Amino acid sequence: MAVKPEWLRVKAPQWERVGNVKSLLRDLQLNTVCEEASCPNIGECFNAGTATFLIMGPACTRACPYCDIDFEKKPQALDPTEPWHLAEAVKRMGLNHVVITAVNRDDLPDGGASQFVRCIEEVRKSSAQTTIEVLIPDLCGNWDALASILKAQPEVLNHNTETVPRLYRRVRPQANYEQSLELLRRTRELTPWVYTKSGIMVGLGETDDEVRQTMADLRRVDCDILTIGQYLQPSDKHLQLQDFITPEQFETWRVIGEEMGFLQVVSSPLTRSSYHAEQVQTLMARYPRTAPASEHSR
């Protein structure tokens, strides 16, 4: 595996703080994408007392070659206590903003949408002031399932496009680029007050023109927030890294994205989908949106 350049080296975390967060997660039998996907920012985020919760088990029904999450063709049944445990963790950690994501559960008729809904509802009960971001899978194009998640009123709906169209067959063989765009388009159509977000990783052989076109495609479906980060190969068995992208190139994409009309572009080598996700609260204050009264009463 390639040697990381200096700009990808992260500071050693304060392990006492990391250990405290890990103990809480183990106590409540919760998973985090920070751990399961070997995120390089785990030390910084756990030090700050934040985490991205991974619901519906630690194993995925897809085997995307870039991802470090375990593959399981027949994963375990959903835990009915998980929504309560997640809400309890949010309360104990005093989170102002929480990110809830999930493995792909193609074995479930609704892709796990109902579990997202229950988690949102439980967090609302115990931490009413906490803003909620859901980072959802494509739900196999089940738009009724998407609508059910949106009816639960998360503030942010995040769905990653991950890469440029040309690389989909190699990077996301069980996904569809246009379907991901359609999910974001329908979110805007159904709930225009929800902030939409997507992310891509670079360093897999994509060109600058392809990245810009993907950014333009996301703006075409009125995506609000974009994250761009460096792909890091988890092991020799995973998809091979092609390039280390310079910080200067990331900055160029950030400027281009803002010129395209994204409300926020977070673009740097260590950027991940939920890295500093709490900053969306500043964006929400700057660009306020309010759901119709009929939605609040649901």
Side-chain angles (χ1 to χ4, degrees), residues 10-11 19 37 40-41 46 84 90 100 107 141 152 155 179 220 277 282:
V10 295
K11 295 180 179 179
N41 303 313
F46 277 18
W84 182 86
V90 171
I100 306 169
D107 59 313
E155 278 77 14
Q179 181 170 266
R220 176 166 51 84
T282 302

Side-chain angles (χ1 to χ4, degrees), residues 3 23 25 55 78 87 105 132 135 145-146 157 162 180-181 188 215 222 231 254 256 276 279 282:
V3 178
S23 294
L25 295 171
I55 64 173
L78 296 182
R105 289 299 301 264
I132 298 175
L135 172 53
L146 172 64
L157 190 292
E162 301 292 10
S180 286
L181 292 177
R188 171 64 68 243
M215 294 167 69
D222 205 13
Y231 167 67
R254 184 191 66 80
I256 290 170
H276 291 314
Q279 293 177 358
T282 302

Side-chain angles (χ1 to χ4, degrees), residues 190 213 255 278:
L190 290 168
Q213 183 58 56
V255 172
E278 72 283 353

Side-chain angles (χ1 to χ4, degrees), residues 233-278:
Q233 187 177 342
S235 75
D236 290 334
K237 296 179 181 179
H238 288 82
L239 202 61
Q240 186 173 357
L241 170 75
Q242 299 298 314
D243 309 285
F244 284 119
I245 309 302
T246 66
E248 291 76 17
Q249 179 62 69
F250 279 104
E251 176 63 12
T252 296
W253 286 326
R254 184 191 66 80
V255 172
I256 290 170
E258 291 182 352
E259 290 173 348
M260 285 181 175
F262 287 102
L263 299 185
Q264 181 186 51
V265 181
V266 184
S267 177
S268 74
L270 288 173
T271 291
R272 294 297 181 268
S273 299
S274 52
Y275 185 47
H276 291 314
E278 72 283 353

Side-chain angles (χ1 to χ4, degrees), residues 22-42:
K22 284 194 172 188
S23 294
L24 183 150
L25 295 171
R26 297 296 84 78
D27 179 43
L28 293 171
Q29 301 173 40
L30 293 170
N31 300 301
T32 66
V33 74
C34 322
E35 297 170 284
E36 301 301 330
S38 304
C39 179
N41 303 313
I42 185 171

